[in-house]
């Protein structure tokens, strides 16, 4: 990250960030993240953490196996498991260690945001403002302590973009993008998109050969990912993970109508979701104003069109990729794109408005509100602090089972089925017997009612945030498409499930639109007398 003063097209000198400056920025961001996430650092593991990433890393910690055996292998590359297992070995296997470790990964990503901002604008104050709004954007804030591979990939991708803009002929981008694909396979979309962009640029030049080395370096991450898939295939017989995972995330997503609907969702994610519309609309409003004049009446500088085009290529490639791949429309897949959008917003504020910090403050206020106030439409709880409400509801329900019904066999759905059977996830001290069902839809609960003697307690809960008053809806036809393409279902209420199962609700708790409940069954128990010889 050496300092350079090479003049560039947009008028400012490439500032760069020295190694010492980067270390100071990283330490400050890390400390701030830990402090702002203190209430969340001891929470047990949640959703996909519990379903894959923690079991995979825990298996590596216990046995050194890169292929998880306590959960189905999804063929995700092993870098997150290696990182978490190393820290657990040093500091202990606890959620606290995991969440602080993830804060550090987030800090590395935000340090890249700062370096990228200074590199493209020449203004450290723009870098500081962009880091602040990115860190408090609800999706980023929530993901900063969750042990998902996406934050690892985002950190490496953002540093890769920085080094690509800094020195296209260097190896920094190739190394970072290679680390990115070893964290999450879909991170390959960014270097491949940039390689295609380089091919396009080369086509318009009289001597395109000088770009060939850059294209080759951008294609280099294919090699470590291919080697990982070869290893996975040799060990499991599957290249891309278990067949059900591949079907859900790739083969069944290739319907043209499904791709179009997913694309519309992704456009909303990258422009409107979780109050992102506030800075985006403010940016467009600012573009109606002339640039602020600086000394000698020179207007404040924009991010160069060359750099902006790189941002657009990265964002467009990600939006298109995750409109085709991924069974669930999770916003964390777009994690590297949000800082790029916010950087363009912040620099536009500064360029067009003298009181630009006021719009930064407005953005921060909107994002802080988005952390605590749920939007008037359905969304994944991991997009803001709703995920912590879900964890605490699960904790309270499981504590009720352990206290009031020790030894019970519990009817429930994932992720509670894992939480009850795997003490390493942080919910139980000893495994409890479980009868699992897919979800709490009418069809699944009715099926469970056909075997009433196989369970003694039911733990049911909201599997998604469903607003009590759905203000933003595209109507009945959209719900049908969601059921067809995106696994949408309606959970039965606690009372309805209790009636269908023949039990009574003995405990219920609600937090900001999410809920959990216990159903107990007063059934005769067959006692058997055994005679000792």
């Amino acid at each position: 990250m050496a300092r350079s003063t090479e003049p560039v097209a947009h008028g400012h000198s490439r500032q760069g960030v020295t190694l010492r400056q980067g270390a100071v920025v990283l330490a400050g961001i890390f400390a701030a993240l830990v402090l702002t996430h203190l209430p969340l650092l001891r929470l047990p593991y949640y959703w996909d953490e519990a379903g894959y990433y923690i079991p995979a890393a825990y298996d590596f910690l216990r046995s050194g196996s890169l292929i998880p055996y306590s959960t189905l292998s999804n063929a995700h590359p092993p870098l997150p498991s290696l990182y978490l297992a190393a820290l657990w070995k040093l500091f202990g296997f606890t959620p606290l260690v995991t969440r602080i470790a993830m804060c550090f990964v987030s800090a590395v990503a935000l340090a890249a945001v700062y370096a990228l901002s200074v590199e493209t604008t020449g203004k450290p104050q723009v870098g500081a403002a962009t880091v602040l709004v990115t860190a408090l954007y609800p999706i980023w804030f929530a993901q900063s302590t969750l042990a998902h591979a996406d934050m690892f990939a985002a950190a490496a991708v953002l540093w890769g973009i920085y080094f690509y803009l800094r020195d296209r002929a260097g190896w920094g981008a190739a190394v970072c993008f290679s680390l990115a694909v070893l964290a999450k396979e879909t991170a390959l979309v960014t270097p491949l998109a940039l390689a295609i962009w380089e091919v396009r640029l080369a086509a318009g030049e009289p001597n395109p050969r000088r770009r060939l080395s850059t294209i080759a370096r951008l294609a280099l991450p294919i090699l470590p990912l291919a080697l990982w898939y070869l290893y996975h295939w040799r060990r499991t017989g599957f290249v891309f993970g278990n067949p059900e995972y591949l079907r859900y995330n790739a083969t069944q997503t290739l319907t043209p109508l499904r791709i179009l609907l997913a694309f519309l969702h992704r456009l909303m994610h990258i422009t409107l979701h979780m109050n992102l519309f506030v800075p985006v609309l403010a940016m467009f409003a600012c573009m109606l104003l002339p640039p602020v004049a600086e000394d000698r009446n020179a207007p404040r500088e924009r991010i160069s069109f060359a750099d902006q085009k790189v941002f657009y290529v990265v964002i467009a490639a990600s939006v298109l990729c995750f409109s085709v791949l991924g069974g669930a429309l999770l916003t964390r897949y777009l994690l590297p794109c949000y800082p790029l959008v916010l950087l363009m917003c912040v620099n536009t504020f500064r360029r067009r408005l003298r009181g630009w910090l006021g719009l930064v403050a407005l953005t921060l206020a909107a994002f802080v509100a988005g952390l605590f106030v749920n939007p008037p439409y359905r969304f994944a709880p991991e997009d803001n602090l709703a995920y912590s409400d879900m964890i605490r509801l699960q904790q309270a329900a499981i504590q009720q089972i352990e206290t009031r019904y020790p030894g019970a066999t519990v009817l429930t759905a994932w992720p509670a089925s894992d939480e009850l059977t795997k003490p390493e996830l942080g919910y139980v001290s000893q495994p409890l017997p479980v009868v699992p069902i897919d979800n709490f839809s009418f069809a699944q609960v009715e099926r469970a009612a056909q075997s009433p003697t196989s369970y003694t307690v039911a733990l049911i809960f909201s599997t998604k945030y469903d607003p009590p008053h759905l203000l933003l809806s595209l109507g009945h036809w959209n719900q049908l498409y969601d059921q067809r393409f995106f696994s949408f279902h309606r959970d039965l209420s606690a009372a309805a499930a209790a009636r269908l199962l023949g039990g009574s609700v003995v405990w219920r708790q609600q937090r900001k639109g999410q809920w959990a409940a216990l159903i107990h069954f007063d059934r005769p128990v067959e006692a058997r007398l055994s005679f000792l010889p």
Side-chain angles (χ1 to χ4, degrees):
M1 295 185 291
R3 187 180 296 275
S4 169
T5 57
E6 179 185 354
V8 290
H10 45 58
H12 74 264
S13 297
R14 288 291 195 189
Q15 295 285 323
V17 177
T18 67
L19 186 60
R20 182 177 181 180
Q21 290 170 335
V24 171
V25 168
L26 176 61
I29 293 172
F30 176 55
L33 286 174
V34 171
L35 288 174
T36 53
H37 288 80
L38 274 178
L40 309 170
L41 295 182
R42 297 183 184 275
L43 290 178
Y45 300 115
Y46 162 83
W47 212 256
D48 283 347
E49 290 185 301
Y52 184 81
Y53 293 109
I54 296 302
Y58 191 54
D59 288 347
F60 178 76
L61 175 68
R62 290 183 293 180
S63 68
S65 173
L66 293 176
I67 309 295
Y69 51 83
S70 63
T71 187
L72 290 176
S73 175
N74 294 341
H76 289 321
L79 187 59
S81 293
L82 298 177
Y83 171 77
L84 291 175
L87 292 179
W88 291 339
K89 188 74 173 179
L90 291 173
F91 303 108
F93 176 63
T94 66
L96 177 64
V97 171
T98 304
R99 305 219 178 279
I100 292 177
M102 292 309 302
C103 281
F104 183 77
V105 177
S106 178
V108 171
L110 290 171
V113 173
Y114 179 81
L116 189 57
S117 301
V118 174
E119 177 71 17
T120 56
T121 69
K123 302 296 180 183
Q125 61 268 42
V126 172
T130 304
V131 166
L132 189 57
V133 296
T134 300
L136 286 175
Y137 180 52
I139 295 171
W140 190 285
F141 188 93
Q143 293 299 322
S144 290
T145 58
L146 295 176
H148 295 142
D150 305 270
M151 186 59 79
F152 291 89
V157 164
L158 289 167
W159 277 113
I161 296 170
Y162 167 79
F163 285 115
Y164 171 76
L165 293 178
R166 185 92 181 138
D167 181 11
R168 282 169 167 78
W171 285 95
V175 171
C176 290
F177 288 136
S178 296
L179 290 173
V181 300
L182 289 176
K184 187 78 181 289
E185 64 279 5
T186 50
L188 186 63
V189 65
T190 299
L192 289 188
L194 293 177
I196 294 170
W197 179 244
E198 285 289 323
V199 170
R200 181 190 179 282
L201 294 177
E205 293 183 351
N207 183 20
R209 291 185 178 180
R210 69 186 186 89
R211 292 192 181 272
L212 292 180
S213 63
T214 300
I215 295 169
R217 288 184 177 90
L218 289 170
L220 183 64
I222 295 174
L223 179 59
L225 185 59
L227 291 174
W228 162 250
Y229 280 139
L230 177 62
Y231 174 81
H232 190 274
W233 171 71
R234 292 291 299 272
R235 293 294 303 273
T236 68
F238 302 115
V239 176
F240 301 113
N242 67 83
E244 176 58 25
Y245 172 81
L246 182 62
R247 182 194 66 81
Y248 179 70
N249 286 282
T251 57
Q252 78 168 17
T253 66
L254 301 181
T255 305
L257 179 57
R258 193 262 181 204
I259 293 172
L260 175 61
L261 293 173
F263 178 73
L264 295 177
H265 279 280
R266 292 306 187 188
L267 288 181
M268 186 193 78
H269 291 163
I270 204 64
T271 57
L272 303 175
H273 188 46
M274 285 297 163
N275 295 345
L276 189 58
F277 69 89
V278 173
V280 169
L281 291 181
M283 176 182 68
F284 284 120
C286 285
M287 290 173 68
L288 300 176
L289 303 173
V292 173
E294 294 280 29
D295 297 337
R296 301 178 183 177
N297 292 322
R300 288 180 177 174
E301 298 154 2
R302 61 164 55 92
I303 298 173
S304 74
F305 286 127
D307 290 349
Q308 287 188 51
K309 288 175 183 177
V310 170
F311 291 176
Y312 299 146
V313 166
V314 172
I315 294 169
S318 297
V319 167
L320 290 172
C321 173
F322 294 115
S323 298
V324 176
L325 299 178
L329 295 174
L330 298 175
T331 57
R332 67 172 188 257
Y333 296 167
L334 299 176
L335 212 54
C337 298
Y338 297 118
L340 305 182
V341 173
L342 291 169
L343 171 55
M344 289 188 286
C345 290
V346 170
N347 196 65
T348 302
F349 298 165
R350 183 192 171 277
R351 184 169 188 252
R352 305 276 181 164
L353 201 66
R354 291 194 182 276
W356 65 282
L357 290 177
L359 288 181
V360 172
L362 177 64
T363 299
L364 291 172
F367 288 175
V368 171
L371 280 170
F372 299 97
V373 180
N374 293 332
Y377 53 84
R378 299 185 185 98
F379 72 101
E382 67 178 47
D383 288 354
N384 69 358
L385 292 181
Y387 85 89
S388 64
D389 294 325
M390 183 175 186
I391 290 175
R392 292 184 173 105
L393 284 170
Q394 302 275 349
Q395 282 182 298
I398 291 172
Q399 185 179 25
Q400 288 285 322
I401 294 173
E402 290 186 309
T403 302
R404 299 172 60 178
Y405 308 106
T409 298
V410 185
L411 174 73
T412 193
W414 187 84
S417 54
D418 279 359
E419 295 163 1
L420 288 163
T421 56
K422 297 180 178 180
E424 62 268 23
L425 299 181
Y427 292 85
V428 295
S429 55
Q430 296 293 328
L432 296 178
V434 163
V435 175
I437 55 177
D438 291 342
N439 52 55
F440 303 112
S441 64
F442 176 84
Q444 285 291 309
V445 175
E446 184 182 42
R447 183 179 302 174
Q450 305 306 311
S451 304
T453 60
S454 61
Y455 49 86
T456 53
V457 173
L459 166 54
I460 64 172
F461 51 89
S462 53
T463 57
K464 69 185 76 65
Y465 174 76
D466 205 353
H469 304 289
L470 188 60
L471 298 182
L472 299 181
S473 173
L474 298 179
H476 178 66
W477 65 270
N478 184 66
Q479 181 172 308
L480 294 178
Y481 286 136
D482 285 347
Q483 291 172 342
R484 177 180 172 186
F485 295 121
F486 306 118
S487 302
F488 175 79
H489 69 272
R490 285 197 176 277
D491 296 318
L492 289 179
S493 67
R499 287 194 298 271
L500 193 57
L501 293 170
S504 57
V505 177
V506 293
W507 176 89
R508 189 180 189 279
Q509 193 174 105
Q510 181 170 333
R511 296 176 70 100
K512 296 182 180 179
Q514 299 185 91
W515 55 269
L518 292 181
I519 300 173
H520 184 252
F521 306 97
D522 294 321
R523 296 180 181 131
V525 178
E526 181 181 353
R528 295 185 179 182
L529 184 63
S530 61
F531 295 92
L532 294 176

